[in-house]
Amino acid sequence: MEGALTARDRVGIQDFVLLDAHTSETAFLDNLKKRFSEDLIYTYIGTLLVSVNPYKELDIYSEKQMDIYMGVNFFELPPHIFALADNAYHTMLTEANNHFILISGESGAGKTEASKKILQYYAVSCPSTTLLDNVRDRMLLSNPVLEAFGNSKTLKNDNSSRFGKYMDIQFDIQGDAVGGHILSYLLEKSRVVHQNHGERNFHIFYQLVKGGEEDLLHQLGLERNCQHYSYLVQGECANVTSINDKNDWKTVRNALSVIDFDESDIQHLLGVIASVLHLGNVQFEPDSKGYATLSNSAELLWVSTLLGVNVQVLQEGLTSRKIEAKTDEVLSPFTTDHAVYARDALAKAIYGRTFTWLVNKINDSMGNKDSSRKTVIGLLDIYGFEVFSVNGFEQFCINYCNEKLQQLFIQLTLKSEQEEYEAESIGWEPVQFFNNKIICDLVEEKHRGIISVLDEECLRPGEATDLTFLERLEEKLDSHPHFVTHKLADKKTRKTLERGDFRLLHYAGEVTYCVVGFLDKNNDLLYRNIKDVSLQVSTHVASQFKSSLLGLTDILMSKEPWYVRCLKSNESKQPGQFDNVLVQHQVKYLGLMEHLRVRRAGFAYRCRYDVFLQRYKPLCPATWPYWRGVAAEGVEVLVQHLGYLPDEYKMGRTKIFIRHPRTLFATEDAFEACKHLLASRIQAQYKGYWQKGQFRRQKEAATKIETCWRGVQARKEKGRRQWAVKVIKKFIKGYMARGEAKTTDNSEYLAFVRQNYLNRLKDNLPKMVLDKTSWLTPPPVLTETSEILRQLNMRLMVRNLLTCVSAAYSITGVSVSTLSDGIIIFHIASEDDKQKGDLIMQCDHLFEVLTKLSVVANKQSTINVVQGSIKFQMQAGKEGIVEFSSGQESMVYKDKNGHLMVVRSRT
């Protein structure tokens, strides 16, 4: 809760207990509206949950949302129905006691949906086994079945519950949902035979007619047309856009199978439902004496077939009644009006009995046979306070129920508050509130209450009517401050009352009731021969309901309460619309302001010491960052530092109690101001800590990587060294045996020598034919090979030279000296400046070359034998001179004057 206080100006306050103007209804409504506009439909009043129907889907009920609220403190997260369900569950487990959740509100406020959400939450959050899943499936699927048979479309709600439902969910000691049990209250049986304009009968009738299989409808004698059945067309809205009866029929059929209804049970159930439709089509017409006779026996025959009742007995029961004679019983015929009343009474009795059987059957399927101790959480989905333009017997019973629940609500709330104050040793201050016991007594008091008078009037001999009942009320209650009629009212009030009305001043406001139909509906009369058909003996409805309600009150008083109050946001069911007048009316009759006053009678806020200290300790240097002592002492130091006045708080045994919301808000605002600085400090500390940790982790990682890398490198180095040792060893052996014939020891060495020599020779081949000295000296093993290669290389150079010379045929002359020096100069014609000049070469076979050249080129006249020196062209425009002479040693060199000197040995 505290986490959202900072957003209170935008989205309102999450808990009305913290509303400063807690006595102002306007402030209450403004807070509701502010939250509703932000799609925040839930708000707390302490542990009471207020829910406003948004009339649209909200993404707040997913399994992810359920996980968020599991096991979390009630006020730790924003208000939610999951929070209430979870805290009720965990409190039950912790304290090993029983709890109940009371869901109330008017039709269309979302009570049924709230009940479903709670069941779904328990289905997901509780432990799961195959057996438990079966139990949970039956509990969940009991909803669509009971909705089909107990809900209908009304003017205010398309899926209105027309009965009260209390469901116990049973848990074992481990918290597993192991069973369930349902109690139903005051089914609106009159809806079976009559619906107001714009309303429908119970859903199951339309589901059967629209969704039932063709074979099934044929077996039941039904047609796929709702307009053919009198009980389905009175409201003139058999088709509703928001209801898909065909799909709902499939859901109900599947649910019945899961709940363990066998096929014979289902056939019997649907047969009874069909019999009610046929019974509604039974019509009467007067005979010559004005007595009722059947106008068509076909429908009655179907009723007798489906119910297994003799058609003659059925016909007599609908058209006459047995009366006592002197010696025997005789039949007294009905008028058509009486016959219609008897038909409708039978239809209501059949449907009511069937609904009771259905609930019992569901209970059998959900029942837990284990006799070990169990705790329960009860869900009470009960009709809310109803005020219509015309209010009858049903509204009287419903509003009486709400009076009793309001009385219980105030008692339990006061009891809970008082117990908490006493447990914390805080002085209890008496709370002023409206005690509605006077209204409950007005309805239920023996011999004088409205229900007692109604029963007496139903039983007394003579012609009792609704108006005589009203007269008896006026006699007995003429001075009661919360009861008024046209006769008893003052002149001004009398104008607002009809003569057949009485008005009760309920805790939620005034409600005017029309007495028409009170006696008939209370009697729920069946003539004796009709009772033989229905196998049911009627009792007075109001007394029966009173007894059931007292039993329910006893059940609830033995359990710990949780409350959900559901509100309608508008009458038109439109999303985003908030009708202030409508919501204000509901707030009043649900007693929300009364509950808030009770919760705010003493202290607005209370919190455990450890939680309070943990949140606000940054506001005091003495408690920040750590408080080493007892939490209560730390809180005392903290509040003294914050300047709390003595009357603003009290220290309990385990909690601090703060009287005014403004004190808490001031503390929260101070915490907000401190939080940013605190966040910066924490962030800096965390960053430093994180960086140190990161550095340490990186260093450790680097060390590990370095160690691993060194290991890898060492292993590689070891391998390389081992390989090198082997190679060197083999190389030395080969070197030592290099002069021997090829063996295993020297084969690799000799191969290496060959390869090495050839590689070096490849890079050092002579480039000129005259180069006789640069040929590499071969190793002994390659002497012969080297000589062959040298000769091949020489031949190749000569061939290339001759190829170039012969290819050109551009030789203008050939000059040789008179000495035997082997020098030949080829004079070549120059066609451009870039072309090289004459070619000078040395050849050991001079005469052979000249002879071959003169023959091939046919140029004998171009050969010149010269003594002394020969001029030659170096490049275009440049000349060189070759001088020939004899000497001690043959040599070729370039003289200082630039001449090429050729010396031939005299020997």
Side-chain angles (χ1 to χ4, degrees):
M1 178 176 62
E2 290 86 347
L5 285 176
T6 55
R8 60 184 179 270
D9 294 332
R10 180 175 61 85
V11 299
I13 295 174
Q14 293 184 154
D15 191 340
F16 282 111
V17 173
L18 298 178
L19 195 64
D20 205 30
H22 70 279
T23 59
S24 169
E25 197 172 74
T26 302
F28 190 99
L29 292 172
D30 286 345
N31 192 64
L32 264 185
K33 187 174 184 179
K34 188 181 291 186
R35 293 182 62 75
F36 179 79
S37 64
E38 296 286 339
D39 283 341
L40 300 172
I41 64 171
Y42 294 119
T43 312
Y44 292 138
I45 306 178
T47 56
L48 179 146
L49 181 68
V50 179
S51 171
V52 183
N53 194 336
Y55 294 111
K56 64 179 179 181
E57 293 293 329
L58 297 178
D59 186 24
I60 58 173
Y61 302 108
S62 63
E63 287 196 19
K64 182 179 179 181
Q65 286 289 114
M66 294 182 186
D67 291 338
I68 292 174
Y69 280 89
M70 284 183 192
V72 177
N73 182 276
F74 189 67
F75 296 110
E76 192 170 326
L77 292 173
H80 201 291
I81 197 164
F82 292 161
L84 183 139
D86 185 78
N87 276 268
Y89 174 73
H90 282 95
T91 306
M92 175 201 70
L93 291 180
T94 304
E95 300 178 359
N97 56 2
N98 298 325
H99 291 247
F100 75 90
I101 302 173
L102 172 58
I103 306 171
S104 59
E106 75 170 56
S107 181
K111 300 187 300 298
T112 301
E113 286 301 311
S115 178
K116 287 180 185 176
K117 298 304 180 191
I118 293 173
L119 280 175
Q120 289 168 3
Y121 181 80
Y122 289 145
V124 172
S125 63
C126 293
S128 177
T129 65
T130 302
L131 176 61
L132 299 180
D133 287 345
N134 287 338
V135 172
R136 282 198 288 268
D137 288 344
R138 291 174 182 178
M139 283 194 289
L140 288 173
L141 291 175
S142 67
N143 269 324
V145 174
L146 290 176
E147 285 181 18
F149 286 84
N151 289 25
S152 68
K153 180 197 180 310
T154 65
L155 293 175
K156 293 189 175 184
N157 183 6
D158 290 348
N159 188 32
S160 176
S161 297
R162 306 319 298 163
F163 70 107
K165 182 179 75 171
Y166 176 77
M167 179 179 188
D168 267 337
I169 308 169
Q170 300 168 348
F171 298 90
D172 64 14
I173 195 169
Q174 283 83 28
D176 303 340
V178 294
H181 187 270
I182 295 171
L183 296 174
S184 63
Y185 299 93
L186 196 65
L187 176 70
E188 189 186 21
K189 293 184 291 185
S190 61
R191 184 167 293 272
V192 174
V193 300
H194 175 74
Q195 307 93 44
N196 294 325
H197 183 76
E199 297 189 346
R200 297 206 315 176
N201 209 322
F202 293 104
H203 293 321
I204 188 61
F205 293 112
Y206 305 93
Q207 293 170 2
L208 174 60
V209 172
K210 294 181 182 180
E213 298 78 7
E214 291 294 341
D215 290 346
L216 176 63
L217 295 181
H218 180 73
Q219 293 172 14
L220 301 176
L222 299 177
E223 301 177 33
R224 198 180 297 283
N225 190 340
C226 294
Q227 302 301 319
H228 291 177
Y229 301 100
S230 174
Y231 284 165
L232 303 185
V233 296
Q234 297 174 29
E236 298 181 354
C237 62
N239 298 316
V240 181
T241 56
S242 63
I243 300 175
N244 190 325
D245 291 306
K246 290 183 179 179
N247 286 347
D248 292 344
W249 165 256
K250 295 177 183 177
T251 302
V252 171
R253 285 288 278 125
N254 175 64
L256 289 171
S257 300
V258 173
I259 295 173
D260 210 21
F261 281 66
D262 58 35
E263 198 58 36
S264 63
D265 289 333
I266 296 174
Q267 290 298 324
H268 168 71
L269 178 63
L270 298 179
V272 173
I273 298 303
S275 72
V276 173
L277 293 179
H278 286 296
L279 193 58
N281 283 358
V282 172
Q283 301 297 322
F284 305 95
E285 56 186 23
D287 61 9
S288 58
K289 297 180 180 180
Y291 297 134
T293 60
L294 285 174
S295 60
N296 188 346
S297 61
E299 296 288 357
L300 195 62
L301 185 60
W302 272 111
V303 175
S304 68
T305 301
L306 293 171
L307 294 181
V309 179
N310 183 280
V311 67
Q312 186 63 34
V313 173
L314 189 59
Q315 182 173 345
E316 288 179 357
L318 293 176
T319 57
S320 60
R321 64 172 174 174
K322 292 179 180 178
I323 58 174
E324 297 287 342
K326 290 183 180 180
T327 57
D328 202 356
E329 290 181 340
V330 297
L331 294 176
S332 173
F334 286 158
T335 63
T336 53
D337 290 341
H338 276 97
V340 169
Y341 176 87
R343 178 200 66 188
D344 290 346
L346 178 60
K348 290 188 292 183
I350 291 172
Y351 194 83
R353 173 182 168 223
T354 302
F355 188 81
T356 302
W357 174 86
L358 179 69
V359 172
N360 292 336
K361 187 73 176 174
I362 292 173
N363 285 335
D364 290 341
S365 74
M366 296 191 303
N368 183 267
K369 308 301 187 289
D370 187 0
S371 59
S372 61
R373 184 178 182 276
K374 299 173 186 64
T375 51
V376 303
I377 294 179
L379 289 180
L380 180 58
D381 176 3
I382 203 77
Y383 5 68
F385 203 85
E386 290 190 350
V387 183
F388 300 136
S389 56
V390 177
N391 302 289
F393 178 76
E394 290 84 0
Q395 282 69 49
F396 170 77
C397 292
I398 288 171
N399 294 343
Y400 162 54
C401 173
N402 277 269
E403 285 287 355
K404 290 295 292 182
L405 292 177
Q406 174 68 8
Q407 185 182 34
L408 175 71
F409 176 52
I410 294 296
Q411 288 176 356
L412 291 177
T413 302
L414 284 173
K415 177 173 173 284
S416 173
E417 284 287 287
Q418 189 168 358
E419 286 177 350
E420 182 173 17
Y421 277 58
E422 291 174 355
E424 293 292 328
S425 298
I426 302 293
W428 174 253
E429 301 172 6
V431 179
Q432 296 298 323
F433 66 96
F434 171 66
N435 189 345
N436 69 335
K437 182 178 184 300
I438 187 173
I439 304 175
C440 294
D441 290 344
L442 169 65
V443 176
E444 65 187 14
E445 188 178 3
K446 287 184 178 180
H447 310 303
R448 190 167 179 269
I450 295 175
I451 292 177
S452 293
V453 174
L454 181 60
D455 288 348
E456 290 172 7
E457 196 65 12
C458 290
L459 291 172
R460 78 175 177 86
E463 193 66 31
T465 65
D466 295 321
L467 289 178
T468 61
F469 160 63
L470 182 60
E471 291 170 359
R472 291 292 306 277
L473 287 179
E474 290 172 337
E475 291 173 7
K476 293 205 171 189
L477 303 173
D478 59 337
S479 59
H480 200 287
H482 290 268
F483 176 84
V484 64
T485 65
H486 185 275
K487 177 181 177 181
L488 301 176
D490 57 42
K491 190 173 183 180
K492 181 179 179 181
T493 306
R494 191 172 296 164
K495 296 178 180 178
T496 63
L497 288 168
E498 299 291 336
R499 293 189 180 275
D501 294 346
F502 69 90
R503 180 174 295 165
L504 298 184
L505 277 65
H506 290 281
Y507 77 93
E510 297 178 347
V511 181
T512 302
Y513 299 97
C514 176
V515 296
V516 175
F518 261 62
L519 264 63
D520 283 344
K521 291 177 180 178
N522 187 53
N523 273 323
D524 199 16
L525 185 64
L526 284 177
Y527 298 115
R528 281 192 297 162
N529 45 335
I530 297 292
K531 292 177 187 176
D532 295 337
V533 173
S534 71
L535 303 176
Q536 178 180 1
V537 178
S538 292
T539 57
H540 293 143
V541 173
S543 293
Q544 188 179 20
F545 182 60
K546 171 186 169 183
S547 300
S548 299
L549 196 53
L550 291 175
L552 175 63
T553 303
D554 291 339
I555 292 173
L556 299 183
M557 285 294 289
S558 67
K559 295 178 171 62
E560 296 298 321
W562 301 79
Y563 304 102
V564 180
R565 293 289 193 258
C566 299
L567 305 177
K568 294 171 66 173
S569 55
N570 61 83
E571 286 286 12
S572 56
K573 306 171 190 173
Q574 295 299 312
Q577 293 185 10
F578 189 91
D579 187 334
N580 276 63
V581 175
L582 176 65
V583 175
Q584 181 182 21
H585 175 67
Q586 295 171 88
V587 166
K588 183 178 180 181
Y589 74 64
L590 285 173
L592 298 184
M593 295 300 297
E594 195 84 340
H595 182 69
L596 178 56
R597 279 194 291 273
V598 170
R599 287 301 306 262
R600 280 294 302 272
F603 295 87
Y605 179 78
R606 70 280 321 250
C607 184
R608 291 202 327 267
Y609 289 134
D610 56 337
V611 176
F612 189 86
L613 183 62
Q614 180 64 29
R615 181 169 181 81
Y616 296 114
K617 65 182 180 181
L619 299 178
C620 175
T623 57
W624 176 258
Y626 302 108
W627 174 257
R628 302 295 183 183
V630 179
E633 296 174 356
V635 171
E636 185 69 51
V637 171
L638 175 60
V639 298
Q640 290 293 332
H641 177 78
L642 293 174
Y644 281 22
L645 298 177
D647 66 334
E648 288 184 328
Y649 74 100
K650 291 287 185 184
M651 301 290 286
R653 291 180 177 176
T654 63
K655 298 177 181 178
I656 179 174
F657 286 69
I658 298 176
R659 188 176 299 277
H660 305 297
R662 59 177 177 270
T663 306
L664 177 65
F665 292 157
T667 305
E668 183 64 25
D669 291 339
F671 176 66
E672 274 299 306
C674 170
K675 190 163 60 174
H676 297 292
L677 177 61
L678 186 63
S680 298
R681 290 178 180 174
I682 294 174
Q683 188 179 46
Q685 290 287 332
Y686 176 75
K687 282 182 177 179
Y689 170 79
W690 187 85
Q691 288 293 349
K692 289 177 184 177
Q694 188 74 355
F695 173 76
R696 185 173 59 253
R697 287 190 293 272
Q698 289 177 350
K699 186 177 179 180
E700 291 173 355
T703 303
K704 288 181 181 179
I705 293 171
E706 187 178 23
T707 302
C708 293
W709 177 249
R710 285 177 176 175
V712 170
Q713 292 300 102
R715 287 189 289 274
K716 286 184 178 179
E717 184 65 22
K718 180 182 176 182
R720 284 196 297 271
R721 289 183 179 183
Q722 290 176 343
W723 175 82
V725 168
K726 291 179 182 179
V727 171
I728 292 171
K729 185 176 179 182
K730 190 173 287 188
F731 191 85
I732 292 172
K733 284 183 177 181
Y735 178 78
M736 294 172 65
R738 65 186 181 280
E740 300 175 5
K742 183 178 180 182
T743 63
T744 305
D745 290 337
N746 64 6
S747 60
E748 288 191 15
Y749 174 77
L750 294 178
F752 169 75
V753 169
R754 291 190 191 97
Q755 183 177 355
N756 184 52
Y757 174 72
L758 292 174
N759 285 336
R760 288 188 295 112
L761 182 62
K762 178 186 69 173
D763 298 329
N764 295 280
L765 287 172
K767 302 295 190 296
M768 299 173 59
V769 176
L770 296 178
D771 185 0
K772 302 295 179 86
T773 61
S774 63
W775 189 265
L776 295 180
T777 303
V781 72
L782 288 176
T783 303
E784 182 180 353
T785 302
S786 177
E787 182 59 28
I788 294 172
L789 290 174
R790 189 187 67 76
Q791 292 177 4
L792 287 173
N793 182 61
M794 179 61 72
R795 289 180 182 177
L796 179 62
M797 288 191 295
V798 170
R799 177 174 293 177
N800 289 340
L801 181 61
L802 290 176
T803 300
C804 292
V805 171
S806 61
Y809 290 113
S810 58
I811 299 174
T812 59
V814 178
S815 298
V816 295
S817 71
T818 57
L819 301 177
S820 58
D821 48 37
I823 298 298
I824 306 174
I825 300 173
F826 294 94
H827 300 283
I828 302 172
S830 178
E831 297 178 357
D832 55 53
D833 294 340
K834 293 182 180 180
Q835 186 173 342
K836 292 183 178 182
D838 297 342
L839 175 64
I840 302 174
M841 65 177 293
Q842 185 178 22
C843 182
D844 293 339
H845 305 282
L846 179 65
F847 297 106
E848 290 83 349
V849 171
L850 292 175
T851 303
K852 188 71 172 178
L853 182 62
S854 61
V855 173
V856 173
N858 195 21
K859 290 186 178 182
Q860 295 86 348
S861 59
T862 62
I863 300 174
N864 300 313
V865 179
V866 180
Q867 185 176 6
S869 63
I870 302 173
K871 290 183 178 181
F872 66 93
Q873 294 288 328
M874 296 176 65
Q875 280 183 344
K878 290 182 69 177
E879 288 186 344
I881 298 175
V882 181
E883 293 186 1
F884 299 93
S885 63
S886 300
Q888 294 294 327
E889 187 179 357
S890 296
M891 63 181 68
V892 178
Y893 65 93
K894 188 175 182 180
D895 200 9
K896 293 180 180 179
N897 58 9
H899 296 176
L900 181 64
M901 305 301 292
V902 179
V903 180
R904 176 63 179 169
S905 173
R906 292 189 180 92
T907 60

